[in-house]
Amino acid sequence: ALTMAAVSQLPGVQATSIEHEGWTITGTKHHMMVSRCHEKPPCQETPDKPACQFCTFEKRLSFPLPEEVYPSNVLTLSHVSGASITISALGALEGIDGNSADVQVAYASEWQEARKNWTTQIDQPTDYDWTYSSNYNGSLNDGFKVEASEERIDYAQLRKPEKILLHQELFLFADDFGDNGQVTVNARIRVMPSSFLLLLRQFVRVDRVFVRVRDTRFYHKFGSNHVIREQLWLEAPTDELEKQFDGGDRRARAALYDPSQIHLLVPRLHQKLFVNERLQLPASA
């Protein structure tokens, strides 16, 4: 298994860590995973020697890997009570339904119509979601009690100027569907003296078909006994978005192709899911 301890011992891994108000927050970064196992025959995990990262992913997943995977980019938030949150590429990929073709079925006619004059066609496997749309909202250990909540993230507090104790962005995986779109998954964390905010974001664009954004935010006010987790899914057909941009905001149109500018696009998307949860820390915390 790819534990934080195992990742941090890999040669060349860059680790950043901070301890604040009972939390230890650690992020590790490393290069993109190789596209195949270099062992002959392919390596096998044993008590004395773990399998390579590629073989670990291949064993855990039932579908082809995206073009870019960053297995050592891992973010962990550990509380003194033992409760912890982990964000990783493997977790994000395990959140994909490896046996679902729902997206293909729903958009099959639009996909074929949009590409009827194209000379290159994207491969369309029928046994997995080739858009890599993930249900992942972070990995929690059993230190948390998860319950529905009406308490929202305190954005007014977050807008107040504060010293940034830690800011980090980690890329988890990406693919371009054979130059027919884009999927990116990344995580960004900001730690201030009063709180932390973690954003896990997936951006999916299938050219001339749809745009999809899936956000999960974790917010904790230091000194409180819980973390707020907000999950928001947004989506819209690209032809609908293009009509809105006719003669309009060029920057918003450019956001269709630039995930770093997605905030300009979000107000134009339709909400598909919103879940608000309270992650309760152990009573002794």
Side-chain angles (χ1 to χ4, degrees):
L2 294 174
T3 64
M4 173 59 79
V7 166
S8 63
Q9 292 173 11
L10 291 172
V13 167
Q14 300 176 357
T16 303
S17 187
I18 185 174
E19 294 184 7
H20 186 66
E21 297 286 344
W23 288 84
T24 300
I25 300 172
T26 303
T28 59
K29 286 185 177 183
H30 205 213
H31 55 65
M32 186 172 68
M33 186 167 65
V34 296
S35 58
R36 62 184 176 87
C37 177
H38 290 286
E39 298 284 338
K40 295 182 180 180
C43 60
Q44 298 292 326
E45 186 170 3
T46 68
D48 299 323
K49 182 182 178 183
C52 71
Q53 289 181 325
F54 179 83
C55 288
T56 299
F57 274 64
E58 285 276 286
K59 182 178 179 181
R60 297 275 289 270
L61 303 171
S62 61
F63 49 84
L65 294 174
E67 292 175 332
E68 296 182 22
V69 180
Y70 297 86
S72 300
N73 289 7
V74 180
L75 182 64
T76 58
L77 298 85
S78 302
H79 191 257
V80 289
S81 65
S84 68
I85 303 166
T86 302
I87 306 294
S88 69
L90 183 57
L93 288 167
E94 287 184 323
I96 297 166
D97 188 345
N99 299 307
S100 173
D102 290 348
V103 174
Q104 293 171 250
V105 172
Y107 291 102
S109 59
E110 291 91 340
W111 181 273
Q112 293 297 338
E113 178 65 22
R115 282 153 184 76
K116 63 183 180 182
N117 297 320
W118 287 32
T119 56
T120 57
Q121 297 289 324
I122 191 170
D123 292 334
Q124 295 187 65
T126 58
D127 58 352
Y128 78 101
D129 181 354
W130 49 264
T131 71
Y132 296 106
S133 297
S134 177
N135 301 327
Y136 185 56
N137 58 1
S139 303
L140 309 178
N141 71 357
D142 10 346
F144 287 106
K145 178 183 178 182
V146 182
E147 53 192 27
S149 175
E150 295 185 0
E151 183 181 1
R152 301 293 300 275
I153 292 174
D154 189 349
Y155 289 103
Q157 175 63 36
L158 288 169
R159 284 191 288 269
K160 294 179 181 179
E162 261 195 288
K163 181 180 179 181
I164 304 298
L165 304 178
L166 175 70
H167 181 273
Q168 191 167 31
E169 180 171 14
L170 300 175
F171 292 94
L172 303 183
F173 71 80
D175 197 282
D176 68 0
F177 314 141
D179 287 332
N180 290 293
Q182 182 181 20
V183 56
T184 61
V185 180
N186 68 300
R188 293 200 304 269
I189 188 167
R190 181 163 47 115
V191 182
M192 292 76 65
S194 68
S195 62
F196 69 69
L197 178 67
L198 164 61
L199 169 63
L200 171 65
R201 168 165 285 172
Q202 178 171 55
F203 171 79
V204 182
R205 186 192 77 252
V206 179
D207 288 343
R208 299 178 62 187
V209 182
F210 70 87
V211 170
R212 175 177 292 161
V213 176
R214 293 182 174 179
D215 285 348
T216 300
R217 289 177 171 84
F218 295 84
Y219 172 75
H220 174 69
K221 184 176 181 180
F222 292 121
S224 71
N225 62 356
H226 63 281
V227 177
I228 298 172
R229 177 168 65 180
E230 288 187 357
Q231 192 173 4
L232 176 64
W233 292 8
L234 303 166
E235 189 173 319
T238 47
D239 59 351
E240 177 185 313
L241 294 170
E242 289 286 355
K243 290 175 183 176
Q244 294 183 44
F245 299 145
D246 286 346
D249 189 344
R250 292 184 178 181
R251 291 177 64 228
R253 178 190 290 273
L256 281 170
Y257 307 97
D258 184 359
S260 69
Q261 299 299 313
I262 196 63
H263 61 281
L264 300 172
L265 200 61
V266 163
R268 304 170 188 265
L269 303 178
H270 307 300
Q271 181 174 309
K272 295 294 183 179
L273 175 77
F274 179 76
V275 178
N276 197 56
E277 296 171 311
R278 177 187 177 101
L279 312 181
Q280 186 73 39
L281 289 162
S284 59

